[in-house]
Amino acid sequence: MSYRVEKADISTFDADTWVVALSENTPLKATDALNERLGGLIAAQQEAGNLSAKAGEVRTLYTTDPTIKRVIVVGAGELPQTPDGCRKMLAAASGKLALEKAARHAAVALAEVCTENRDAAWQASQWVTALEASRYRFDHFKSQKEEARELDCTLILTENEADAVSEAVVQAEAVARGMALTRDLANTPGNICNPIYLAEQAQDMARTYSTLKTQILDQDEMEALGMGALLAVARGSVNPPRLIVMTYTGPGAEGQSPDIIVGKGITFDSGGISLKPGEAMDEMKYDMGGAASVFGTLKALCEMNAPVHVVGIIAAAENMPDGNATRPGDIVTTLSGQTVEILNTDAEGRLVLCDALTYAQQLKPRSIVDIATLTGACIIALGHVATGILANDDTLAAELLEAARTTGDKAWQLPLWDEYDEQLKSPFADMANIGGRPAGTITAACFLSRFTREVKWAHLDIAGTAWVSGKDKGATGRPVPLLTRWLLNRAQS
Ligand code: BES
Ligand code: MN
Ligand code: ZN
């Protein structure tokens, strides 16, 4: 896949596949120019009722033209589009393009399809994200693999803005590579993707990028430090845990205090002794989706050589039941010194994260953001649409929400009030690891907040957004766009 950006003449530009739009309220010059070149084909098909200008509807026209083999015509609805409307249009068009197996060179002429408060660079970046997502395949474990198809894509501009758009495309390509890694890791099953596998991935990445350094803590080292909560989760598994620390130092960012992103890396969550019900338990291989998004974000930063200083920390463990496993009622001492009564071994994410957060806090960062498939309750609250954000600092939350609005990687803030924290009281230890059914996402975040009192911290609950269920189940690569955008914005401010 390669991208070019050009202010080209539509009446002569050479491409076998075109992507143009129809709007319900605005004539589009690019579509008209292509229509003329094709002897009125588009207008005739529209007249015949074969095309639609409705937002997100899409058709392919096949031609007998010697160079232009096919035209993908997508409905743009009314202009200006909303950002969501634009994304819907781009998803429809890129989805169709990804299905056109014979397409080798696509010309995308959508630049004049305007979106409220967004420019051509933003649209181009959304296009790259959509097309790369449509072309993603996970056939690593299929014996019959689909042949990789080369496709060049030229974004046709209407204004002289090639530099800004090109830069956006380069960044979006980097993010897409990061997202593909996130999806690969989260799709890889627990019999392969275990904590040691994740540690090896980190070491591989450090070999690939000179800007990235990796440090791995094994079980003995974690014991010596006193990470009693993380180790309690790993006890029931034959796969030993790892704490993975990756440091990315971009150009000019040396010596700057880092932002730390911490990922929940439960490579399989059976629930432990508080065993989960069997239905869809296979999906708990993606309980390292937070860790996968840390990998993906770091990869995106490496690929674009971003001028930021970021540490990624992954708490990797497998949550299994056996004779050695932690029991409900067990009390452990965390790295922070606080004690926890483990009432439910299925609330394991917060246990691995609390020790990773204490470790992160000791590095004196500018901020910490953790990313975790933490609670089923978050899916009940926000569905599969939005990531839950909880933070001890409203400016940090606002920054993350702003990045989410830009990328379309939707997020929504939930409150972190003291009243909720009451639910974590334990008669035997400093706290319990569960707070009952009400507000399960918030009490989980309250638990984490007890380990980040000295630093600006936010928590992203991605239980609903990291994965899609059903017949096309699989990892989404979210929230890599959000995290990458947030880090880039921080570098600019
Ligand atoms: N990994 C799960 C949360 C989860 C559930 C993520 C479904 C994605 C889809 C987490 O470890 C968990 O089991 N949480 C419990 C917490 C409860 C025991 C307080 C939950 O949400 O039920
Ligand atoms: Mn669990
Ligand atoms: Zn879990």
Side-chain angles (χ1 to χ4, degrees):
M1 193 70 214
S2 74
Y3 292 90
R4 267 182 297 158
V5 171
E6 227 176 290
K7 193 178 166 196
D9 181 356
I10 292 181
S11 59
T12 55
F13 188 79
D14 199 13
D16 57 42
T17 306
W18 283 76
V19 179
V20 294
L22 287 175
S23 155
E24 285 173 320
N25 64 347
T26 315
L28 295 168
K29 291 197 194 77
T31 312
D32 290 345
L34 195 69
N35 178 56
E36 199 151 307
R37 186 169 163 186
L38 290 168
L41 173 74
I42 298 172
Q45 291 296 328
Q46 192 175 12
E47 189 73 10
N50 290 334
L51 298 176
S52 167
K54 255 177 81 182
E57 292 204 7
V58 63
R59 307 273 188 280
T60 307
L61 300 179
Y62 299 96
T63 83
T64 51
D65 188 271
T67 51
I68 301 176
K69 305 280 169 44
R70 57 198 76 78
V71 182
I72 294 169
V73 185
V74 65
E78 289 190 9
L79 303 191
Q81 296 180 313
T82 61
D84 280 345
C86 177
R87 275 190 285 269
K88 197 169 155 192
M89 172 187 82
L90 298 179
S94 66
K96 263 277 193 275
L97 176 55
L99 293 176
E100 288 298 338
K101 301 198 170 174
R104 288 292 166 273
H105 185 191
V108 181
L110 300 174
E112 71 193 290
V113 180
C114 54
T115 306
E116 292 160 1
N117 308 316
R118 300 285 193 273
D119 57 14
W122 176 84
Q123 191 204 58
S125 134
Q126 292 289 322
W127 168 260
V128 173
T129 307
L131 182 57
E132 295 295 325
S134 301
R135 281 170 60 84
Y136 175 83
R137 295 283 176 279
F138 186 72
D139 55 8
H140 196 268
F141 297 97
K142 298 259 194 195
S143 40
Q144 303 284 327
K145 298 192 204 308
E146 224 182 292
E147 211 181 303
R149 284 175 279 113
E150 266 316 303
L151 178 66
D152 295 333
C153 184
T154 304
L155 303 178
I156 311 280
L157 300 181
T158 46
E159 312 281 333
N160 292 319
E161 51 200 353
D163 289 349
V165 176
S166 296
E167 195 195 324
V169 166
V170 169
Q171 286 193 352
E173 283 188 87
V175 172
R177 289 188 196 111
M179 288 177 87
L181 172 62
T182 298
R183 294 175 78 173
D184 284 349
L185 290 172
N187 286 333
T188 301
N191 62 329
I192 291 164
C193 181
N194 57 36
I196 289 177
Y197 178 91
L198 286 180
E200 286 166 358
Q201 294 294 310
Q203 284 161 332
D204 277 357
M205 251 171 82
R207 273 190 287 273
T208 308
Y209 302 104
S210 62
T211 44
L212 193 79
K213 301 269 173 292
T214 294
Q215 189 199 349
I216 314 281
L217 301 193
D218 65 17
Q219 193 160 343
D220 293 344
E221 289 164 304
M222 287 190 268
E223 251 154 42
L225 286 173
M227 295 188 159
L230 194 157
L231 292 167
V233 173
R235 285 181 64 96
S237 171
V238 294
N239 291 306
R242 291 289 184 267
L243 190 84
I244 304 166
V245 183
M246 291 178 275
T247 305
Y248 169 79
T249 313
E254 306 84 2
Q256 179 183 302
S257 139
D259 290 303
I260 303 190
I261 50 179
V262 178
K264 170 178 172 182
I266 299 296
T267 57
F268 187 73
D269 181 12
S270 69
I273 297 297
S274 313
L275 196 64
K276 286 184 178 297
E279 199 198 344
M281 206 206 265
D282 66 288
E283 298 193 353
M284 280 302 110
K285 69 178 179 180
Y286 91 89
D287 212 17
M288 35 58 75
S293 77
V294 169
F295 273 106
T297 301
L298 288 170
K299 185 176 175 86
L301 297 174
C302 288
E303 287 277 324
M304 67 175 81
N305 215 17
V308 296
H309 190 195
V310 177
V311 176
I313 298 182
I314 285 158
E318 187 180 44
N319 188 21
M320 295 289 260
D322 82 352
N324 233 340
T326 294
R327 326 150 184 72
D330 284 1
I331 296 175
V332 297
T333 303
T334 64
L335 177 60
S336 73
Q338 301 176 87
T339 57
V340 178
E341 184 187 16
I342 301 177
L343 293 178
N344 189 321
T345 63
D346 197 12
E348 84 298 337
R350 60 200 81 182
L351 295 173
V352 297
L353 284 172
C354 72
D355 282 343
L357 288 170
T358 302
Y359 186 90
Q361 190 172 260
Q362 289 170 356
L363 301 177
K364 301 261 175 276
R366 266 214 300 178
S367 73
I368 301 178
V369 174
D370 76 72
I371 310 99
T373 49
L374 203 62
T375 62
C378 194
I379 309 180
I380 304 303
L382 298 174
H384 296 281
V385 177
T387 293
I389 294 191
L390 298 104
N392 66 8
D393 182 90
D394 278 334
T395 311
L396 178 58
E399 283 176 23
L400 290 160
L401 290 165
E402 174 62 24
R405 268 191 296 275
T406 306
T407 57
D409 197 346
K410 288 194 165 68
W412 196 256
Q413 190 176 5
L414 297 171
L416 198 64
W417 292 317
D418 286 343
E419 285 88 334
Y420 295 107
D421 189 74
E422 302 278 317
Q423 290 174 229
L424 294 173
K425 280 194 175 144
S426 156
F428 299 122
D430 297 342
M431 69 196 90
N433 77 326
I434 54 170
R437 300 226 336 137
T441 302
I442 299 177
T443 54
C446 286
F447 182 95
L448 299 177
S449 76
R450 291 173 175 233
F451 299 85
T452 51
R453 296 234 190 267
E454 290 151 33
V455 63
K456 289 180 183 172
W457 158 82
H459 159 63
L460 304 184
D461 194 327
I462 58 167
T465 52
W467 182 266
V468 283
S469 303
K471 96 175 155 36
D472 293 320
K473 66 183 170 186
T476 59
R478 294 176 66 182
V480 170
L482 187 174
L483 289 167
T484 311
R485 187 71 259 159
W486 169 67
L487 290 163
L488 290 172
N489 287 351
R490 260 172 107 73
Q492 275 155 20
S493 67

